[in-house]
Amino acid sequence: MSDQAIAQEELAVEADGQLALNLPEAVEADIKDYYWVNQSREIINAQQDLDLTERRLIFSLVSLVQPDDEEFKTYTVSIKELANLIGVEGKSFYERVEKAIDSLQSKQLKLSHDNTRQKITWVQSATYKDGEGRVTIKLSEDLAPFFRNLKRAYTKFRLKNVLKLKSEYNWRLYEVLKEREFRKERIIKVNELRHLLNIPDDKYKMLKHLRELIDRAQVELEEKTDIFFTYDIHKRVGRSVESFIFRIHKNTKNMNNDQEVANYDAETLLQLLVENGIHRKKAVQLAKAYHPFYIEENVRHVRAMSAGQTIRNMAGYIVKAIEENYANSLFDTPIDDAMFGLELRNVEQGFEESTAADVETLDAIVANFKSMLARFASTDASVERLQQIAEERDAMLLEALTTIQKKRKTLRKPPLLYEDMAGDPYLKPIYEKWEEAQYPF
């Protein structure tokens, strides 16, 4: 869609003939520093001309995008909370955040492939709500293939690993090395390194100065992120250094395992399995047996391979893929994190408690109508009247079940299943009717 078409789409004509903004429906967002940033390798290996504030801002927004999203959402965020997250302080933080967003609407991400060059702005639109301290913002649609609906290998890291970095060079080196973390090394030519880090031609021209830059990054990444690295000269051409070899290691002292993070991961993992049709009890079993990244890679591998195909038992196929590692994931050992295991059990218990409460709500409707039918039966009510009451009961149960399923989806909980009400002769046929009617939820 062209910028002109977008602009026209965002304008509406009111009854008095005046033009008015026609804003897209926005999702209220609260960004946490433990959210995951998911991005394609094309983005990581593209040159990016962003300063540190712009980088913190755009990737905070990117952390709201899930790799399975089918479309980019429009988000409304508190400017004050966003400023706190990205480290913009002082009385002028509103103006500084707006200035950074303005810059992201004009700066371009440049991508090259074969004989094609693509230039993309980072932010498509931003609408400020004066007096409310909020901004409604949408990322450029042209970025979508690199951040959402990701099918091929992509790189992920927690936002908190980069937000505290004090240099855009250090941030970019983190991303470049993180991409090859599981190969444990990366060879980078000097010219390529300068390109990836967007180092101006007139800076760090001498080898010793470039190594000083790398050394500073080495210290800060080990202090603040989940990886650290060592490096050495890999190849010389004459007296000049052509390339470096970076050896990448896990930095276990900075691996975050606090309760809030573990709970977020447990809920996200179980939701991924359940929304692909896997029974919640089987989902918990898989989550206990395999590393979260291993499960994610195999689920997305199946979804990518099955695109355009009809698989009768997608859930069964995904379970088999996980058990046999169709994706050849390197995360082939269970996660060794006691906090994650505890939160997994907490989430599982929460699922069971909410299921019991929702079934109890349906049981209460049935009990109420049983009493009503009993009263009418004792008064020699007609068969037609009793049938009418039964139909009213079924309609109310269908409406209640739909409301419950919608609520559970909003709360990122798995839907009620047939087996949850299999012991009740009244609820079983209601669930079958609900499923046959394919009620939207």
Side-chain angles (χ1 to χ4, degrees), residues 140-151:
S140 170
E141 277 292 340
D142 288 331
L143 290 173
F146 310 109
F147 292 114
R148 68 160 179 81
N149 201 16
L150 298 175
K151 297 291 192 288

Side-chain angles (χ1 to χ4, degrees), residues 114-125:
D114 295 333
N115 296 321
T116 302
R117 290 182 296 113
Q118 186 178 13
K119 298 180 180 180
I120 305 171
T121 57
W122 291 92
V123 171
Q124 178 174 301
S125 65

Side-chain angles (χ1 to χ4, degrees), residues 106-379:
S106 61
K107 281 194 174 179
Q108 295 178 332
L109 172 68
K110 300 175 182 179
L111 299 166
S112 298
H113 182 69
D114 295 333
N115 296 321
T116 302
R117 290 182 296 113
Q118 186 178 13
K119 298 180 180 180
I120 305 171
T121 57
W122 291 92
V123 171
Q124 178 174 301
S125 65
T127 304
Y128 300 89
K129 301 190 176 181
D130 294 334
E132 297 183 21
R134 298 188 300 159
V135 59
T136 297
I137 193 165
K138 185 175 184 181
L139 300 176
S140 170
E141 277 292 340
D142 288 331
L143 290 173
F146 310 109
F147 292 114
R148 68 160 179 81
N149 201 16
L150 298 175
K151 297 291 192 288
R152 293 174 292 167
Y154 58 93
T155 298
K156 64 186 297 176
F157 54 83
R158 289 195 193 278
L159 187 59
K160 63 168 58 181
N161 281 303
V162 289
L163 282 182
K164 293 182 179 179
L165 297 179
K166 300 298 185 183
S167 161
E168 55 264 37
Y169 297 142
N170 297 357
W171 181 316
R172 285 294 287 139
L173 190 55
Y174 171 84
E175 290 181 309
V176 167
L177 297 181
K178 186 70 176 176
E179 183 204 347
R180 303 292 176 88
E181 179 181 4
F182 298 102
R183 293 188 182 180
K184 302 189 184 305
E185 65 178 35
R186 180 165 186 171
I187 297 169
I188 310 178
K189 292 184 176 180
V190 170
N191 287 341
E192 180 189 7
L193 183 64
R194 296 182 64 89
H195 174 80
L196 290 173
L197 272 55
N198 197 37
I199 299 174
D201 292 340
D202 60 346
K203 289 189 175 182
Y204 303 103
K205 295 168 66 175
M206 297 181 64
L207 178 63
K208 70 173 184 176
H209 295 152
L210 182 61
R211 294 196 66 156
E212 287 172 359
L213 180 151
I214 298 171
D215 291 343
R216 288 195 294 272
Q218 187 178 38
V219 171
E220 190 172 33
L221 265 57
E222 182 169 2
E223 178 187 347
K224 298 176 180 177
T225 78
D226 58 348
I227 61 172
F228 70 94
F229 69 90
T230 57
Y231 76 104
D232 208 340
I233 293 172
H234 175 257
K235 184 178 180 182
R236 290 181 182 271
V237 177
R239 299 179 62 183
S240 300
V241 173
E242 182 185 73
S243 58
F244 293 110
I245 181 168
F246 293 84
R247 296 182 177 86
I248 310 156
H249 311 276
K250 282 188 180 296
N251 194 0
T252 54
K253 70 178 183 181
N254 287 334
M255 300 294 283
N256 301 295
N257 64 347
D258 59 84
Q259 185 171 351
E260 196 173 22
V261 172
N263 180 267
Y264 170 75
D265 286 347
E267 288 186 340
T268 300
L269 182 65
L270 291 176
Q271 179 69 15
L272 174 67
L273 292 168
V274 169
E275 69 188 10
N276 280 282
I278 296 171
H279 188 287
R280 65 175 179 267
K281 292 182 179 177
K282 181 64 175 179
V284 171
Q285 179 185 339
L286 292 169
K288 290 178 178 177
Y290 299 98
H291 194 289
F293 292 0
Y294 171 98
I295 291 174
E296 289 179 0
E297 289 180 8
N298 277 283
V299 170
R300 289 175 181 124
H301 175 79
V302 169
R303 291 179 59 158
M305 296 226 9
S306 63
Q309 302 181 45
T310 301
I311 297 178
R312 296 182 63 183
N313 184 7
M314 176 63 80
Y317 189 36
I318 288 175
V319 170
K320 188 174 182 181
I322 292 171
E323 292 174 343
E324 298 185 12
N325 195 12
Y326 285 4
N328 295 317
S329 173
L330 298 175
F331 298 96
D332 52 3
T333 55
I335 187 170
D336 183 18
D337 187 337
M339 185 65 75
F340 177 79
L342 174 63
E343 286 306 315
L344 198 58
R345 290 191 291 275
N346 288 341
V347 174
E348 178 185 12
Q349 183 179 354
F351 283 171
E352 298 308 318
E353 289 174 354
S354 64
T355 296
D358 288 337
V359 172
E360 188 176 334
T361 298
L362 298 173
D363 284 337
I365 295 173
V366 172
N368 184 55
F369 273 94
K370 278 184 179 179
S371 299
M372 188 183 301
L373 284 169
R375 288 197 304 272
F376 275 94
S378 64
T379 61

Side-chain angles (χ1 to χ4, degrees), residues 6-59:
I6 292 169
Q8 290 174 346
E9 192 174 80
E10 291 178 350
L11 291 174
V13 180
E14 295 185 336
D16 60 2
Q18 297 295 314
L19 286 176
L21 282 174
N22 183 20
L23 298 178
E25 184 176 351
V27 177
E28 292 285 343
D30 181 17
I31 306 171
K32 303 294 186 183
D33 66 357
Y34 54 76
Y35 284 0
W36 290 104
V37 173
N38 303 283
Q39 56 181 319
S40 70
R41 290 175 176 172
E42 290 93 334
I43 290 289
I44 289 176
N45 291 293
Q47 191 175 43
Q48 303 174 13
D49 180 21
L50 299 176
D51 68 26
L52 196 56
T53 299
E54 294 162 354
R55 184 169 295 284
R56 288 172 177 169
L57 196 155
I58 194 66
F59 281 95

Side-chain angles (χ1 to χ4, degrees), residues 79-80 91-99 133-134:
I79 294 176
K80 183 176 182 179
K91 295 181 180 179
S92 62
F93 68 86
Y94 283 103
E95 291 79 6
R96 290 166 63 193
V97 168
E98 183 170 349
K99 182 179 178 182
R134 298 188 300 159

